[in-house]
Amino acid sequence: MAAGPTVLIMAAGHGTRMKSSLPKVLHPVCGRPMLLWVAAAARAAGAERVVAITRPGEGVAEHLPEDIETAEQTEGEGTGSAVLAAREAIDRDGTVLVLSGDNPLIASELIEGIVATHQEQQAKATLLTTSRLDPTGYGRIVRGADGGVEKIVETKHTDGVPEEYLAIREINIGAYAFHGGALLDALDRADEERGERYLTAALPLILESGGRIAPFETDDVSSAMGVNNRADLMDVERHARSALLRAHARAGVSFPNPETVTIDAEVEIGEDTVIEPGTTLRGPTVIGAGATIGPGTTVENSEIGDGVSVLHSYLTHCVVHDRASIGPFAYLRPKADIGADAKVGTYVEVKNSVIGAGAKIPHLSYIGDADVGEGANVAAGNITANYDGRDKHRTTIGARVRTGVNTSFVAPVTVGEGAYIGAGSVIVDDVPAGALGISRPEQKNVEGFAERVEKKP
Ligand code: UD1
Ligand code: MG
């Protein structure tokens, strides 16, 4: 698509059948709003100008990246009114592409195909069709004797629609190329139906004015699927996920049980990494090479290095460096930064803390707002008391420190390099490097206690 035409994406209206407070086109498919899938396909097909048609107050415009312009649909209902709202963006002498914001998996190759067909056939309108979907609810393509399109019969409401039209399997996917002037002239004259001005009502008027309407038929089911309710959304998500997993698999990632893996569009994974069953990878998560993630693990918006292993754990907005070992049953919260070769083990929670290279926190600990030095060993059941009821404070545990089990660090507090902490201590004062910090009541043994107690009548 040389010096690509303008692409309009219809994205207004709440989509009442979604039964949602979120506008339809913002519903995510593999973590990315539907509308952004469409915009990405338009860009990949070479579109220079992408204009989303939104309605003020619906909150869609506010969610768009800067390179997507918006046109506000303030008047009228229906896809025809939507396009008219973008009148200023339509070149009367050029080609304009119109895509639907609820048709997320449309392939960029098909967008290119629409434009090529439009030019070859010198059409005034070209539209993408398929006969491969259940046609229920879609606009049906009525073809003329020459194979061109005569009109589209909408079937969202079937009352009064003649049987012969309901028997047609070929449907309108909702992706079009138009001659700008022909489109605007037709839409301005189009009648309303059920209070809506339909974009599809422009077609017979374009034909009447002597313009050709070319169909461009595809067998690509995922590209064709429109989303009008959440059952449609599930179907689309399944297709998108399967395509993503296959692309990762071809790039060297193993999924022993792909049916149980959930993955977002932005996720990146290195070669030789294994994504075990029951794993969910969300947001712009990056996973290195030779890692093992899962089983039973969620990783969101995080960066995981090479050779890392994460078992049965939940990781969100954190960084894990090469070869570290996480879990089973660890919880890494925002700004946890786990050093290379470090270990964060069973029932350990880490938040806003830097764990040095090779440090170990193997069992039952909470480390929040802390800096743990390289090679330190934090014994079982250590807690950083980071919150005094009003403010958060940091704990610093130096390199190669060895803490005892059941230690509490009452922050702010610093333990110097190579120091030891006695088991069961509550550390409220700094411990110098190389010292032993111990704070617990001395033990007292009461001799003969059992005998005395058991002899009581
Ligand atoms: C539309 C087509 C139908 C096609 C189907 C494919 C019309 C009249 N019908 O029906 O032929 O088979 O898509 O999925 O076009 N929108 C606006 N402003 C509005 C109304 C809708 O921007 O006033 C946007 C919606 O956000 C949506 C798109 O246009 O992304 C399509 O609207 P929708 O109501 O879903 O039309 P369908 O009934 O699916
Ligand atoms: Mg729709």
Side-chain angles (χ1 to χ4, degrees):
M1 215 192 279
T6 297
V7 176
L8 308 181
I9 305 176
M10 301 180 290
H14 222 84
T16 49
R17 281 174 287 163
M18 297 296 282
K19 303 203 187 303
S20 176
S21 58
L22 188 68
K24 175 165 74 172
V25 298
L26 291 186
H27 275 261
V29 171
C30 294
R32 180 196 279 166
M34 282 199 264
L35 177 55
L36 296 190
W37 282 88
V38 181
R43 287 276 180 232
E48 273 183 3
R49 201 171 165 200
V50 176
V51 182
I53 299 154
T54 61
R55 225 189 277 273
E58 283 184 343
V60 174
E62 295 77 354
H63 272 84
L64 300 181
E66 272 178 14
D67 62 336
I68 301 180
E69 297 171 48
T70 52
E72 290 195 341
Q73 184 183 349
T74 49
E75 276 170 36
E77 296 288 330
T79 47
S81 304
V83 169
L84 283 177
R87 189 190 291 275
E88 300 299 314
I90 299 173
D91 172 8
R92 283 194 66 89
D93 301 316
T95 300
V96 62
L97 281 173
V98 180
L99 304 177
S100 304
D102 66 348
N103 176 215
L105 302 187
I106 183 154
S108 57
E109 293 78 12
L110 290 183
I111 299 175
E112 288 169 5
I114 295 171
V115 176
T117 305
H118 192 66
Q119 283 160 358
E120 276 159 31
Q121 304 218 0
Q122 300 192 332
K124 286 282 189 271
T126 301
L127 49 113
L128 189 60
T129 75
T130 190
S131 303
R132 289 298 182 94
L133 283 184
D134 173 357
T136 307
Y138 285 100
R140 310 296 167 88
I141 306 290
V142 181
R143 295 227 196 186
D146 66 346
V149 176
E150 257 178 19
K151 63 176 173 181
I152 293 178
V153 176
E154 293 300 331
T155 63
K156 186 158 72 178
H157 309 278
T158 50
D159 39 306
V161 180
E163 249 338 288
E164 53 171 313
Y165 294 136
L166 292 176
I168 296 172
R169 285 204 61 93
E170 190 182 7
I171 58 134
N172 170 31
I173 290 172
Y176 321 75
F178 289 102
H179 177 272
L183 173 63
L184 289 175
D185 292 343
L187 276 181
D188 282 332
R189 289 191 292 131
D191 287 329
E192 292 196 354
E193 224 175 287
R194 295 172 185 271
E196 287 189 46
R197 191 184 299 255
Y198 289 162
L199 175 57
T200 47
L203 299 176
L205 300 175
I206 292 174
L207 198 64
E208 252 174 55
S209 320
R212 175 173 168 73
I213 302 168
F216 175 54
E217 192 166 357
T218 179
D219 287 341
D220 176 359
V221 170
S222 10
S223 280
M225 295 164 85
V227 175
N228 292 315
N229 57 52
R230 296 202 211 204
D232 296 339
L233 190 62
M234 280 197 295
D235 292 341
V236 162
E237 174 105 14
R238 199 174 57 241
H239 276 255
R241 184 163 57 234
S242 154
L244 286 171
L245 290 176
R246 297 186 77 79
H248 283 295
R250 276 193 293 268
V253 182
S254 288
F255 299 93
N257 191 347
E259 287 76 19
T260 64
V261 173
T262 303
I263 190 164
D264 277 357
E266 323 291 332
V267 172
E268 293 174 27
I269 311 174
E271 281 179 23
D272 273 334
T273 285
V274 181
I275 306 298
E276 298 280 10
T279 295
T280 297
L281 306 174
R282 291 237 182 262
T285 285
V286 179
I287 294 168
T292 302
I293 310 297
T297 290
T298 297
V299 185
E300 310 178 325
N301 302 55
S302 294
E303 214 179 295
I304 311 293
D306 296 341
V308 167
S309 115
V310 186
L311 278 178
H312 289 286
S313 292
Y314 191 102
L315 284 66
T316 180
H317 295 83
C318 65
V319 178
V320 179
H321 295 275
D322 297 349
R323 297 173 306 279
S325 149
I326 310 297
F329 313 114
Y331 181 20
L332 300 189
R333 292 171 51 199
K335 292 195 190 156
D337 183 308
I338 313 301
D341 303 294
K343 178 186 175 74
V344 173
T346 312
Y347 302 118
V348 174
E349 175 178 343
V350 180
K351 181 214 83 170
N352 188 27
S353 295
V354 179
I355 310 302
K360 292 188 167 53
I361 312 171
H363 341 265
L364 297 158
S365 289
Y366 169 62
I367 305 297
D369 304 303
D371 298 284
V372 176
E374 282 183 28
N377 189 85
V378 176
N382 279 206
I383 307 286
T384 53
N386 56 328
Y387 186 51
D388 60 13
R390 186 187 278 227
D391 297 309
K392 299 272 170 72
H393 303 281
R394 283 195 91 75
T395 298
T396 302
I397 296 174
R400 295 172 306 284
V401 164
R402 276 158 173 51
T403 76
V405 299
N406 265 357
T407 299
S408 304
F409 297 92
V410 182
V413 72
T414 296
V415 180
E417 284 187 19
Y420 282 67
I421 305 290
S425 292
V426 177
I427 299 297
V428 294
D429 293 325
D430 290 355
V431 179
L436 166 68
I438 184 160
S439 96
R440 62 181 185 225
E442 260 176 45
Q443 183 170 337
K444 189 175 153 199
N445 293 336
V446 180
E447 297 283 348
F449 179 78
E451 210 180 340
R452 260 193 286 140
V453 167
E454 284 156 23
K455 270 195 181 150
K456 268 193 186 155

